[in-house]
Short mmCIF file of all heavy atoms in Angstrom, two decimals:
data_model
loop_
_atom_site.label_atom_id
_atom_site.label_comp_id
_atom_site.label_asym_id
_atom_site.label_seq_id
_atom_site.Cartn_x
_atom_site.Cartn_y
_atom_site.Cartn_z
N TYR A 642 25.05 -67.38 5.91
CA TYR A 642 24.81 -66.77 7.23
C TYR A 642 25.42 -67.62 8.33
O TYR A 642 26.12 -67.11 9.22
CB TYR A 642 23.30 -66.63 7.44
CG TYR A 642 22.89 -66.13 8.82
CD1 TYR A 642 23.07 -64.80 9.18
CD2 TYR A 642 22.31 -67.00 9.74
CE1 TYR A 642 22.67 -64.34 10.43
CE2 TYR A 642 21.91 -66.54 11.00
CZ TYR A 642 22.10 -65.22 11.34
OH TYR A 642 21.71 -64.77 12.58
N ILE A 643 25.22 -68.94 8.27
CA ILE A 643 25.77 -69.86 9.28
C ILE A 643 27.30 -69.84 9.24
O ILE A 643 27.96 -69.76 10.28
CB ILE A 643 25.25 -71.29 9.06
CG1 ILE A 643 23.73 -71.35 9.27
CG2 ILE A 643 25.96 -72.27 9.98
CD1 ILE A 643 23.28 -71.03 10.67
N ASN A 644 27.87 -69.89 8.05
CA ASN A 644 29.33 -69.90 7.92
C ASN A 644 29.95 -68.60 8.44
O ASN A 644 31.03 -68.60 9.04
CB ASN A 644 29.73 -70.12 6.46
CG ASN A 644 29.47 -71.54 6.01
OD1 ASN A 644 29.42 -72.47 6.83
ND2 ASN A 644 29.29 -71.74 4.72
N ARG A 645 29.25 -67.49 8.21
CA ARG A 645 29.75 -66.21 8.71
C ARG A 645 29.76 -66.20 10.24
O ARG A 645 30.74 -65.75 10.86
CB ARG A 645 28.88 -65.05 8.19
CG ARG A 645 29.30 -63.69 8.73
CD ARG A 645 28.52 -62.56 8.10
NE ARG A 645 27.10 -62.59 8.45
CZ ARG A 645 26.62 -62.12 9.59
NH1 ARG A 645 27.42 -61.59 10.50
NH2 ARG A 645 25.33 -62.16 9.83
N LEU A 646 28.71 -66.73 10.84
CA LEU A 646 28.64 -66.78 12.30
C LEU A 646 29.65 -67.76 12.88
O LEU A 646 30.22 -67.51 13.95
CB LEU A 646 27.22 -67.17 12.74
CG LEU A 646 26.12 -66.16 12.45
CD1 LEU A 646 24.78 -66.68 12.93
CD2 LEU A 646 26.42 -64.82 13.13
N LYS A 647 29.89 -68.86 12.18
CA LYS A 647 30.91 -69.82 12.63
C LYS A 647 32.28 -69.17 12.64
O LYS A 647 33.06 -69.32 13.59
CB LYS A 647 30.90 -71.06 11.73
CG LYS A 647 29.74 -72.02 11.99
CD LYS A 647 29.63 -73.09 10.93
CE LYS A 647 30.78 -74.04 10.95
NZ LYS A 647 30.60 -75.14 9.97
N GLU A 648 32.58 -68.43 11.58
CA GLU A 648 33.87 -67.75 11.48
C GLU A 648 33.99 -66.68 12.58
O GLU A 648 35.04 -66.54 13.22
CB GLU A 648 34.01 -67.11 10.10
CG GLU A 648 35.36 -66.44 9.88
CD GLU A 648 35.48 -65.84 8.49
OE1 GLU A 648 34.65 -66.18 7.61
OE2 GLU A 648 36.40 -65.01 8.29
N TYR A 649 32.91 -65.94 12.80
CA TYR A 649 32.85 -64.91 13.84
C TYR A 649 33.12 -65.53 15.21
O TYR A 649 33.91 -65.01 16.00
CB TYR A 649 31.46 -64.26 13.79
CG TYR A 649 31.19 -63.20 14.83
CD1 TYR A 649 31.34 -61.85 14.53
CD2 TYR A 649 30.73 -63.54 16.10
CE1 TYR A 649 31.05 -60.87 15.47
CE2 TYR A 649 30.45 -62.56 17.06
CZ TYR A 649 30.61 -61.24 16.73
OH TYR A 649 30.34 -60.26 17.68
N SER A 650 32.46 -66.65 15.48
CA SER A 650 32.59 -67.32 16.78
C SER A 650 33.98 -67.89 16.98
O SER A 650 34.59 -67.72 18.05
CB SER A 650 31.55 -68.44 16.90
OG SER A 650 30.24 -67.94 16.78
N GLU A 651 34.49 -68.56 15.96
CA GLU A 651 35.80 -69.20 16.08
C GLU A 651 36.90 -68.16 16.29
O GLU A 651 37.85 -68.39 17.05
CB GLU A 651 36.08 -70.05 14.85
CG GLU A 651 35.23 -71.32 14.79
CD GLU A 651 35.39 -72.08 13.49
OE1 GLU A 651 36.22 -71.66 12.65
OE2 GLU A 651 34.69 -73.09 13.31
N LYS A 652 36.77 -67.03 15.64
CA LYS A 652 37.78 -65.97 15.79
C LYS A 652 37.80 -65.46 17.23
O LYS A 652 38.87 -65.31 17.84
CB LYS A 652 37.47 -64.81 14.82
CG LYS A 652 38.33 -63.58 15.01
CD LYS A 652 39.81 -63.86 14.77
CE LYS A 652 40.11 -64.05 13.30
NZ LYS A 652 41.56 -64.22 13.04
N ARG A 653 36.63 -65.20 17.79
CA ARG A 653 36.57 -64.68 19.16
C ARG A 653 37.00 -65.72 20.19
O ARG A 653 37.64 -65.38 21.19
CB ARG A 653 35.15 -64.16 19.45
CG ARG A 653 34.98 -62.74 18.95
CD ARG A 653 33.56 -62.34 18.70
NE ARG A 653 33.52 -60.93 18.29
CZ ARG A 653 33.90 -60.48 17.10
NH1 ARG A 653 34.33 -61.34 16.18
NH2 ARG A 653 33.85 -59.19 16.81
N LEU A 654 36.65 -66.95 19.96
CA LEU A 654 37.11 -68.02 20.86
C LEU A 654 38.63 -68.11 20.84
O LEU A 654 39.27 -68.25 21.89
CB LEU A 654 36.50 -69.36 20.45
CG LEU A 654 35.06 -69.62 20.89
CD1 LEU A 654 34.49 -70.84 20.16
CD2 LEU A 654 35.00 -69.84 22.39
N SER A 655 39.20 -68.03 19.65
CA SER A 655 40.65 -68.14 19.50
C SER A 655 41.37 -66.96 20.16
O SER A 655 42.32 -67.15 20.94
CB SER A 655 41.02 -68.21 18.02
OG SER A 655 42.41 -68.28 17.84
N VAL A 656 40.92 -65.75 19.87
CA VAL A 656 41.58 -64.57 20.42
C VAL A 656 41.45 -64.53 21.94
O VAL A 656 42.43 -64.28 22.66
CB VAL A 656 40.99 -63.28 19.81
CG1 VAL A 656 41.53 -62.04 20.52
CG2 VAL A 656 41.32 -63.20 18.32
N SER A 657 40.25 -64.79 22.44
CA SER A 657 40.02 -64.75 23.89
C SER A 657 40.86 -65.80 24.61
O SER A 657 41.48 -65.53 25.64
CB SER A 657 38.53 -64.96 24.19
OG SER A 657 38.28 -64.86 25.58
N ASN A 658 40.88 -67.01 24.05
CA ASN A 658 41.62 -68.10 24.68
C ASN A 658 43.13 -67.79 24.70
O ASN A 658 43.81 -67.99 25.71
CB ASN A 658 41.35 -69.40 23.93
CG ASN A 658 41.63 -70.62 24.78
OD1 ASN A 658 41.13 -70.73 25.90
ND2 ASN A 658 42.43 -71.53 24.28
N ASN A 659 43.66 -67.31 23.58
CA ASN A 659 45.09 -67.00 23.50
C ASN A 659 45.46 -65.78 24.34
O ASN A 659 46.56 -65.71 24.89
CB ASN A 659 45.50 -66.78 22.04
CG ASN A 659 45.62 -68.08 21.27
OD1 ASN A 659 46.01 -69.10 21.83
ND2 ASN A 659 45.26 -68.06 20.00
N LEU A 660 44.53 -64.83 24.44
CA LEU A 660 44.76 -63.66 25.28
C LEU A 660 45.04 -64.10 26.72
O LEU A 660 45.95 -63.58 27.38
CB LEU A 660 43.54 -62.75 25.22
CG LEU A 660 43.56 -61.43 25.99
CD1 LEU A 660 42.59 -60.44 25.36
CD2 LEU A 660 43.18 -61.62 27.46
#
Side-chain angles (χ1 to χ4, degrees):
Y642 175 73
I643 296 297
N644 288 336
R645 177 174 66 81
L646 293 179
K647 284 170 67 176
E648 184 179 345
Y649 178 97
S650 300
E651 289 173 4
K652 172 62 73 176
R653 276 157 177 74
L654 280 167
S655 178
V656 172
S657 183
N658 202 52
N659 284 326
L660 182 156

